[in-house]
Amino acid sequence: MQKVSFFKSIHVKLVLIYVLLIIIALQIIGLYFSKELEENLEANFQDSIFQRIDLVQYSIREEMLKDRDETSPSLEQSLSIIVREFATGDINEIRVIDDRNRVRATSDINNQSIVGQRGNQEIVNQSIAAQTSIDKIAIDAETQNRVWILVAPIFDTVGPQGEILGTIYIESNIENVFDQVNDINEIFAVGTAISLAITIILGILIARTITRPISDMRKQAQAMSRGNFSRKVRVYGNDEIGQLAIAFNHLTNRLQEATSTTEAERRKLASVLTNMTDGVIATDRKGKVILINDPAINFLKITREATLNRPIASVLGLEKEYSFEDLINMKDSVNLDFSTMEDHLILRANFSVIQKETGFVNGLITVLHDITEQEKIEMERREFVANVSHELRTPLTTMRSYLDALADGAWRDENIAPTFLNVTQTETERMIRLVNDLLQLSKMDSRDYKLNREFVEFNKFFNRIIDRFEMSKSQNVEFKRYLPEESYFVEIDTDKLTQVIDNIISNALKYSPDGGNIRFGVTVQENLLKIMVSDDGMGIPKENVGRIFDRFYRVDRARSRAMGGTGLGLAIAKEMIEAHGGRIWAESEEGVGTTIFFTLPFELDEAGEWD
Ligand code: ADP
């Protein structure tokens, strides 16, 4: 949030408004007061002059109307005495002017020369013409002071009905009145300044009471926007601002609750997205990736930065087949092959649109599910069914052709019939073996079979099986045993393990050349017993060694079948060894020989003999 500059702050604005209002109020009061005062003082001044004028008029009229003889002083002298007597205080000068506009007397001693001369002041003529008093304010030429000039006519009777005898010209010093007004105005101005200074200080203090809570709230709002909800606004009172502060604090609490709920939800969602095994990719309404979880990143083998903001179709490698609109309208899932040289990866992508009630598309969520294993199982299943059908069809076809031949009359031929019957018998046995093997595998797959475990000494057990083969063998093959002296006890299902070893030895015999050796070995590797059956047979090509434990896998199909093999022996052996907690593998070199290894957990003592 922006910082409020000092001059733009409410605080300064309030103080300014306050001060301006006070200045305006004081100005209005001051103007009115000073004008009234001036008028009042002026009126008082004039009143005091007027009061004196009445008396002067009277004395002058008496003097002018008086009969004079030689002994009596001249009119000028008498008038001079009168005017000098009255020209006191504020009156600068009094002149008496007769009806012929001649100055008859003046109170100004320095201006006696004008006595007897014609006065030609305009104001005097006006007064005579109007037969009334006229006054005006003028500037004294000498002193530059303001003077009040009053010209009043003198009638021969009291009141204005009589004939004009002359006029009185009075010049009084009104400057004092203005000086007084100025003094009072000055006092007023100083008072105004003092009161302004006081009110500014008070204004600042009062404005603070309003602006401080507002400023507090501003700061808190700023803190809140930064995610800090711990601050609280101080409540200064119960006025509107106090109430606002309380509401603001309440709002802060609610916002904090809401934010923490949202944050918790966000974390939950993030944790769900991270910990789920499926990949999730979300886009905005334009199809640009805005969210991708870790599993999706691992599946697609890219970085988050490289994905964000890229179109979803291009991230999924579908840009050639589908546009974003196609993906939005996609009802079915799409299988994506992300296999590399190293590993196989098939993903199933399901798309769901985030839509508003109005139908406006907000984005697309893509869920990527790893179906590699599922696909593999499905493929194996299909292969298995095909294999089983094939394995069953071959002996059945053979049998049918032989039975057909017998039915066609071969049964009568004593030489051929037993051979043909023998073939059908062999094929039937092979089918029984195959079905038995399949049943056994299916039992192991369904995991509802149990091992009947018992403790046996392994060397003894192994020797017995080798002996059996040695006694019954028809080939010229030599058996060599490399078995240790020590006793190793294993807890095994003897029937099942006999079957495994039988299968391995019979394979070794099957593929051993005349005069070859078969070596049997037992060693201890870490805490496991490692058993080895090695022959000098034809061997297995390197690339196929790992596959001989797969169901129905045979290096040479025709040869294996001719030898009566089902192709399931080693697959069953693998299941069984693993059920016993061991591992089985083969090492082979073409033309040199094959070695089959398997391991079993063992004890050095028979469990029962411990105590
Ligand atoms: P089969 O019934 O065909 O013997 P197995 O599962 O026992 O089926 O063996 C699978 C395949 O492994 C055989 O068909 C054979 O090609 C190969 N194999 C097994 N043991 C040997 C061995 N000792 N020497 C050469 N090839 C072998």
Side-chain angles (χ1 to χ4, degrees), residues 503 507-508 510-511 535 538-540 548 553-556 560 565-571 594:
N503 188 274
N507 275 345
K510 260 193 250 172
Y511 298 101
D535 63 53
M538 55 190 290
I540 306 164
I548 61 167
Y553 183 78
R554 283 171 285 201
V555 177
D556 183 342
S560 158
T566 59
L568 292 173
L570 286 180
T594 306

Side-chain angles (χ1 to χ4, degrees), residues 34 37-38 41-42 45 90 143-146 173-188:
S34 120
L37 185 76
E38 196 180 311
L41 286 175
E42 223 179 289
F45 178 82
D90 297 324
T143 58
Q144 292 298 315
N145 283 342
R146 267 167 290 188
N173 185 9
I174 202 166
E175 190 63 45
N176 283 344
V177 172
F178 291 112
D179 284 349
Q180 241 174 321
V181 172
N182 279 346
D183 285 349
I184 290 168
N185 278 349
E186 260 169 41
I187 292 167
F188 194 83

Side-chain angles (χ1 to χ4, degrees), residues 519-536:
R519 291 164 293 278
F520 302 93
V522 174
T523 48
V524 172
Q525 196 178 55
E526 290 173 5
N527 48 357
L528 291 169
L529 213 54
K530 183 170 150 194
I531 299 101
M532 170 208 95
V533 177
S534 175
D535 63 53
D536 303 328

